[in-house]
Amino acid sequence: MLVILFRALSVFPLPVLHVLGSGLGWLVYLLSSSYRRRLRANLAQAGYEGHLRAAVAESGKAIIELAFVWCARPERVARHASVENWQLVQQGLDAGRGIVFLTPHLGCFEMTAQQIALKTALTVMYRPPRKSALKPLVEGARARHNLHLAPATLSGVRILAKTLKGGQPIGLLPDQVPQEGEGVWAPWFGRSAYTMTLPSKLAQLGKADIVLVYAERLPRGAGYVVRFVPFEGDLSGPAAQQAAEINRAMEQLIARCPAQYFWSYNRYKQPDGVAAPESGAAA
């Protein structure tokens, strides 16, 4: 039923979908006390309490717009996005170096991969949706021309490493909470969050560049701007320091449009089997 609904919604103009999304955001916020508590707590932890109203609306837009991004014709979707600072990427491609694209759950992060794939092949790490009925929709939407999927498994990591060594780019969402043994505790807006170590490992293994990217959602359904930003962190230290550097870079991206971050995500959860962080680890 949800797949049918998404396909039906995809025919509507993006401004209409964003109006509907704003309403959905407020509906979920008012009906779900757990969602409301986490959203408010995460905003407060990051110091963005003043963006609460906008964040509620933007979170709903992020859900509804998936119908457009996933189900509308690719050429129609592409017309709603512009790209900023692509020359940063082209320099790496021309030099034959692999590129690790990092984007947090900020703005329309599904749009970033599609825009990159319009210009070059891209392999992204992929976790299947929890609802099996959504799997054909999500996989079909993400595995489009020039866009390839690598499962979030050891075999998928090998695919990503091989891709980088071949001078091709990959994409990761570094603010996802990894499983036991796949991360370290590192500061995230002043509090310890279990953070994946894979981005820095892959970049160093493939001698690749790291490029930050996010798709800012424009007001009134005007579309998106996909922005590429150089990574200026130092990854020469131990794993925990590397993770902290990447987290800091993600925080700086989020500061550009804080209301558009996915604040309801349980970023501070403690995965099964992982010991709690040491007191003061995020100081």
Side-chain angles (χ1 to χ4, degrees):
M1 181 62 70
L2 190 57
V3 174
I4 296 174
L5 176 61
F6 266 40
R7 288 175 177 163
L9 286 171
S10 69
V11 304
F12 287 93
L14 187 58
V16 173
L17 292 179
H18 278 177
V19 170
L20 294 174
S22 296
L24 175 65
W26 278 103
L27 180 65
V28 174
Y29 180 81
L30 295 173
L31 293 180
S32 174
S33 59
S34 60
Y35 173 88
R36 188 164 59 247
R37 283 194 302 270
R38 181 174 296 157
L39 186 90
R40 294 174 69 96
N42 286 343
L43 280 166
Q45 177 66 41
Y48 291 128
E49 304 98 317
H51 294 271
L52 173 63
R53 294 183 64 86
V56 170
E58 295 295 328
S59 64
K61 293 178 186 178
I63 299 301
I64 291 295
E65 71 189 3
L66 291 178
F68 171 77
V69 177
W70 285 350
C71 300
R73 296 188 310 277
E75 58 271 19
R76 180 183 166 213
V77 176
R79 287 198 299 269
H80 286 75
S82 60
V83 173
E84 181 182 279
N85 206 20
W86 175 257
Q87 66 272 17
L88 174 67
V89 180
Q90 194 61 51
Q91 290 171 3
L93 294 175
D94 291 344
R97 296 191 300 269
I99 299 173
V100 179
F101 289 109
L102 298 181
T103 181
H105 289 79
L106 178 66
C108 186
F109 49 90
E110 292 284 348
M111 180 66 77
T112 61
Q114 291 197 19
Q115 286 298 301
I116 294 170
L118 290 176
K119 300 176 181 294
T120 184
L122 176 68
T123 303
V124 297
M125 178 162 276
Y126 163 72
R127 290 182 179 177
R130 293 181 180 179
K131 294 184 178 180
S132 58
L134 284 175
K135 188 174 181 180
L137 172 63
V138 177
E139 291 185 351
R142 288 176 172 170
R144 296 187 177 187
H145 173 68
N146 261 352
L147 188 54
H148 311 288
L149 304 179
T153 61
L154 181 58
S155 64
V157 172
R158 289 171 178 159
I159 291 172
L160 295 178
K162 183 178 180 180
T163 301
L164 283 176
K165 289 179 179 179
Q168 295 295 316
I170 68 168
L172 296 170
L173 292 164
D175 57 339
Q176 288 183 319
V177 178
Q179 298 177 353
E180 178 188 6
E182 298 175 357
V184 294
W185 292 103
W188 178 257
F189 289 109
R191 180 179 172 187
S192 290
Y194 199 61
T195 302
M196 64 171 64
T197 56
L198 184 61
S200 55
K201 287 180 179 178
L202 284 173
Q204 292 173 340
L205 181 65
K207 299 180 180 179
D209 297 335
I210 292 181
V211 176
L212 314 181
V213 56
Y214 69 105
E216 182 175 355
R217 188 179 301 114
L218 298 177
R220 296 179 292 280
Y224 310 89
V225 179
V226 179
R227 295 191 167 97
F228 297 92
V229 180
F231 174 71
E232 298 176 344
D234 179 8
L235 298 182
S236 61
Q241 182 179 328
Q242 293 172 7
E245 289 286 320
I246 290 176
N247 278 356
R248 188 177 300 112
M250 295 301 103
E251 291 173 359
Q252 291 170 352
L253 282 192
I254 292 166
R256 294 172 172 230
C257 46
Q260 295 189 22
Y261 186 64
F262 192 42
W263 293 108
S264 60
Y265 181 54
N266 190 6
R267 182 67 184 88
Y268 299 106
K269 69 181 177 181
Q270 182 178 345
D272 294 339
V274 175
E278 296 180 5
S279 178

